[in-house]
Amino acid sequence: MAAAQPDSLAEVIGRWSGGRVIGVEREYEIYTGPPGGDRPVDARTVWRDLPGPGRAIDPGDPQARRCPTGAAITTDGPHAEIATPPVVLEPGCTDTVLAHAAAAERHLAAQLGGHRLVGYSTHISVEVRDHAVVPVARLVARRMAIPLMLVLDRAGSPGVLVRPRPGRLEIGGEFAAGDQLRAAVALTVATVLLAERRIGIRRIAAPGAPRVRPARATERFGWYVDRTAFGPDLYVAGRATRIGRAQAQDVLARHWSRCRPVARTVLSDTEVGLVDHVVAGLRPLPMEAPLDDDGPVAAVPDHRHYGERVRGVVTVRVVAASWWKALLQLDGGHGSQRWVTLPGRTLDPVLDALDAGLLDDELALLCRQSVPVTNRWRTPA
């Protein structure tokens, strides 16, 4: 039986507000000219000339454009960047987040025309409560970094970044795609959830895990774990690297054995099985094989727009939108204006409901009311 259509703004918000969220950012270098004779291009020099990048509605990033897939494209220094919308952490989420990343990359490539994109880095974010995110990041950086380095980085990578951000923990490493990205996201999710459970406990869930004193990250608060932080260069021998009395493969296998029960509570059997194969050596680590391409991915809507909507007597504008929050302005005419604050993850479902005409009467009523209306869902700033 098909799910009943929501008939109120509160129902749309409630349906899409449950569970924590994850997301992926991927950075790219831009080149122009034929392969072999191409030249690097600073993304900032071409950004104003993009023909249809999307709406500028992120108050924290004037370069960001919300594109028709729901993701954002922006610049980070000389690099171009895509950022997926928040994806609910549930079985199949690694497929969903990869599909959004691939769709955003296609949109970015189309905007750049004859320029060529070359993957530069990947950042995986997992929602963590504000009061816990710094100790979780510290624990991951000091005791759980080796498995993440093995499943994300390559032989030429420098190391990984572990950055606490408002409401989320961000792990930054080498550019990843396809099953390599799926596996990295799955292990990162499981690692963060395990660390969240273990903060404050002196003997964490992985007795004997190698300790390291990570360096302070530059540019933004967090930690950097270098490829040589544990003594030998982890990226030369990979799984066979000697770390104390064990090999890096032993560290990876022990870590996954403790993460796996946590992973099974939020991921599908297929997603857990993918990491099983990577850990067991049945699938290669990124440093053991060429870069995957994204391959077949799930379809995501690629026709969204974030411009003005006229629904009956009400004009709706998306005033601002970030990962965590969105702000709608309702104009009912004759000076009647209202503002509605939404959790960021619910913006697209609310716009879909608006476009389907499911909220017309409620919006008109809101504009006739004398008190501005905001929702009561709490989200990080």
Side-chain angles (χ1 to χ4, degrees), residues 230 232 242-247:
F230 299 89
R242 297 296 303 184
I243 301 175
R245 298 179 180 179
Q247 291 187 335

Side-chain angles (χ1 to χ4, degrees), residues 38-84:
D38 48 7
R39 295 177 290 104
V41 176
D42 189 318
R44 294 166 293 190
T45 65
V46 299
W47 211 247
R48 291 185 178 181
D49 298 326
L50 300 184
R55 287 289 308 282
I57 52 176
D58 188 332
D61 183 357
Q63 301 298 326
R65 300 293 183 268
R66 186 67 63 101
C67 64
T69 68
I73 62 173
T74 187
T75 61
D76 189 350
H79 302 128
E81 177 180 285
I82 66 96
T84 69

Side-chain angles (χ1 to χ4, degrees), residues 55 57 305-311 314-319 329 331 351 354-355:
R55 287 289 308 282
I57 52 176
H305 79 90
Y306 298 89
E308 182 177 284
R309 289 163 165 79
V310 178
R311 302 301 314 175
V314 180
T315 300
V316 182
R317 299 178 181 87
V318 182
V319 177
Q329 177 185 327
D331 187 345
L351 295 181
L354 285 172
D355 293 340

Side-chain angles (χ1 to χ4, degrees), residues 166-337:
R168 61 187 173 96
L169 178 61
E170 179 184 287
I171 304 296
E174 188 62 69
F175 186 84
D179 280 346
Q180 293 175 350
L181 179 58
R182 289 184 176 98
V185 171
L187 184 62
T188 299
V189 164
T191 298
V192 172
L193 297 187
L194 179 64
E196 192 176 50
R197 295 182 180 188
R198 305 308 296 177
I199 55 174
I201 299 177
R202 293 191 57 160
R203 191 172 180 82
I204 67 169
R211 294 176 181 269
V212 66
R213 185 178 294 276
R216 290 285 183 180
T218 59
E219 297 181 1
R220 297 173 182 170
F221 174 69
W223 290 272
Y224 167 69
V225 186
D226 189 79
R227 55 191 289 162
T228 62
F230 299 89
D233 190 329
L234 181 64
Y235 297 166
V236 171
R239 299 178 194 264
T241 306
R242 297 296 303 184
I243 301 175
R245 298 179 180 179
Q247 291 187 335
Q249 170 62 26
D250 303 322
V251 177
L252 174 62
R254 285 200 304 266
H255 179 74
W256 178 236
S257 71
R258 289 164 175 84
C259 287
R260 196 175 188 277
V262 181
R264 288 181 58 84
T265 67
V266 292
L267 301 175
S268 70
D269 290 343
T270 300
E271 291 167 312
V272 173
L274 175 60
V275 183
D276 286 340
H277 287 173
V278 172
V279 171
L282 301 177
R283 284 177 175 263
L285 298 170
M287 65 183 66
E288 298 169 341
L291 174 68
D292 274 359
D293 61 25
D294 286 326
V297 293
V300 298
D302 59 0
H303 57 273
R304 301 187 186 281
H305 79 90
Y306 298 89
E308 182 177 284
R309 289 163 165 79
V310 178
R311 302 301 314 175
V313 299
V314 180
T315 300
V316 182
R317 299 178 181 87
V318 182
V319 177
S322 65
W323 218 59
W324 291 120
K325 289 188 178 182
L327 179 64
L328 302 183
Q329 177 185 327
L330 310 181
D331 187 345
H334 307 290
S336 61
Q337 288 187 337

Side-chain angles (χ1 to χ4, degrees), residues 8-10 12-13 314-321 324-331 337-344 346-347 350-351 354 359 362-367 369 371-377:
S8 73
L9 184 59
V12 178
I13 294 173
V314 180
T315 300
V316 182
R317 299 178 181 87
V318 182
V319 177
W324 291 120
K325 289 188 178 182
L327 179 64
L328 302 183
Q329 177 185 327
L330 310 181
D331 187 345
Q337 288 187 337
R338 297 292 178 262
W339 284 264
V340 179
T341 304
L342 311 170
T346 69
L347 175 60
V350 167
L351 295 181
L354 285 172
L359 306 177
E362 183 176 4
L363 297 184
L365 177 61
L366 289 180
C367 285
Q369 291 177 342
V371 179
V373 178
T374 59
N375 72 291
R376 297 180 181 179
W377 281 264

